[in-house]
Amino acid sequence: MSGVVRLIDMVFPGDTNHHGTLFGGVALAHMDKVAFLAASRHGRAPFVTAASEQIDFTAPALKGELIEATGRIVRAGTRSVDVEVELTAEALLSGARRLCTRGMFTLVAVKGPDTHLPLPPLDRVAEAADDRLHMVDMVFPPQTNHYGTLFGGDALSMLGKAAFIASTRHARAVMVMAASDRIDFRSPVREGEMVELIARVVTSGRSSVRVGVELWAENLLSADRRRAATAEFVMVAVDEAGRPKPFG
């Protein structure tokens, strides 16, 4: 089943050039990763990028903004797929969004025991309305321990980032983490698996929100999916001096 895959990240100073805008190579890396995840979810096979074309840079992403890379399958062949990817920048406080980059990526399934050809036909699925934040990422070797599973600290970083993005989109204010009430690790996340973070504002006050976050692990070949961790965070809106302030 084909669907939309979203990767959301922040533009940090280390990702920008001397103009304070996102490096083109970093943008392409995000786009290639989300294309790979979309292809893998569709074909449940090991994929490699064969080509990218029609890469159009139309606007810069600025330091401190959110970037959202969205990938969707637009063609499925016997052994290859085409993934259309858009990268959008979002201003944290205003919510203003602009398309920065669009491109097409062709990925090919590598022949082997884990590859079942032909690939499934394209099945366009309409996105269901959902007020929760959905964002994906992948677990690479530097993020794992000697058991080949995701470090707890890296999992906490992912959970905290999802809480920050969800709370910022809700309040459109400068948000900081005030507390982490409860974190439960239910299942290890293995190297090479995809993680999906699902975050939702549970309660909202004058200057703070409580955000619930779930971390799901997904084996890209078998489609096995399990809830690996859950957490709740209290996020507070602050002014220039770091004092709590009302939002809304």
Side-chain angles (χ1 to χ4, degrees):
M1 184 173 66
S2 304
V4 174
V5 177
R6 286 189 175 85
L7 187 153
I8 305 175
D9 208 345
M10 291 285 299
V11 179
F12 292 112
D15 298 324
T16 62
N17 56 29
H18 57 293
H19 300 297
T21 62
L22 183 68
F23 279 119
V26 176
L28 288 172
H30 283 300
M31 295 172 73
D32 182 64
K33 183 192 289 188
V34 83
F36 169 79
L37 293 172
S40 299
R41 254 192 167 179
H42 174 81
R44 299 300 177 187
F47 279 90
V48 294
T49 302
S52 61
E53 55 184 273
Q54 300 174 11
I55 306 294
D56 298 317
F57 291 90
T58 58
L62 307 178
K63 179 176 65 177
E65 292 186 321
L66 287 177
I67 49 172
E68 181 175 314
T70 304
R72 55 170 57 83
I73 306 288
V74 294
R75 182 196 64 86
T78 301
R79 191 184 162 199
S80 66
V81 296
D82 289 341
V83 186
E84 182 183 64
V85 181
E86 293 184 347
L87 189 140
T88 302
E90 179 179 327
L92 288 175
L93 300 185
S94 69
R97 291 168 63 89
R98 64 188 179 281
L99 177 66
C100 295
T101 311
R102 176 187 286 121
M104 190 75 68
F105 292 78
T106 299
L107 291 96
V108 177
V110 178
K111 290 183 179 179
D114 295 320
T115 305
H116 302 286
L117 300 176
L119 295 173
L122 184 62
D123 180 15
R124 298 185 183 276
V125 178
E127 285 191 85
D130 191 345
D131 63 351
R132 300 175 299 173
L133 169 74
H134 291 258
M135 51 188 282
V136 300
D137 210 331
M138 191 169 178
V139 178
F140 292 108
Q143 298 169 291
T144 61
N145 56 30
H146 56 294
Y147 299 114
T149 60
L150 182 66
F151 278 118
D154 285 273
L156 288 171
S157 177
M158 293 176 178
L159 291 161
K161 183 192 294 185
F164 169 77
I165 294 171
S167 63
T168 300
R169 283 183 166 176
H170 175 83
R172 292 302 174 190
V174 176
M175 305 299 290
V176 297
M177 188 180 296
S180 174
D181 289 349
R182 182 180 179 89
I183 300 172
D184 294 310
F185 292 98
R186 301 167 179 264
S187 174
V189 184
R190 300 177 182 87
E191 176 187 326
E193 291 189 316
M194 186 183 82
V195 293
E196 181 174 16
L197 293 128
I198 303 174
R200 183 178 184 178
V201 173
V202 180
T203 59
S204 179
R206 293 182 66 250
S207 61
S208 67
V209 296
R210 183 180 297 274
V211 184
V213 187
E214 298 177 354
L215 188 153
W216 290 78
E218 183 175 325
N219 184 299
L220 290 172
L221 297 181
S222 69
D224 172 63
R225 181 176 167 88
R226 63 197 181 280
R227 188 163 60 177
T230 58
E232 282 198 358
F233 299 93
V234 176
M235 309 292 293
V236 176
V238 296
D239 59 19
E240 289 88 354
R243 295 186 295 263
K245 74 166 191 176
F247 58 80

